[in-house]
Amino acid sequence: MKIKVVVHEAEEGGYWAEVPAIPGCATQGETFEELLHNLCEAVEGCLSVNVSDEKL
């Protein structure tokens, strides 16, 4: 799956990124490598769904 990401340099140092296709999905990192790691976790968390055994 390919997801477009917008990466920004933070004024205080490091980077932050947002995923326009997933509202509210954003993260930051002190290095670009840390940002990529955090971004994978953020996307995974935003796309995860809890499935319940309860009947509706």
Side-chain angles (χ1 to χ4, degrees):
M1 169 187 281
K2 292 184 180 183
I3 298 175
K4 292 189 179 187
V5 179
V6 180
V7 177
H8 308 271
E9 287 190 42
E11 290 181 19
E12 63 279 356
Y15 302 90
W16 70 278
E18 57 188 323
V19 182
I22 307 173
C25 187
T27 191
Q28 62 86 36
E30 293 299 317
T31 65
F32 192 75
E33 290 76 20
E34 182 182 12
L35 174 69
L36 292 179
H37 175 77
N38 293 345
L39 191 56
C40 288
E41 288 184 349
V43 169
E44 183 178 297
C46 288
L47 295 180
S48 66
V49 177
N50 288 330
V51 177
S52 175
D53 291 333
E54 295 179 28
K55 294 181 181 179
L56 298 176

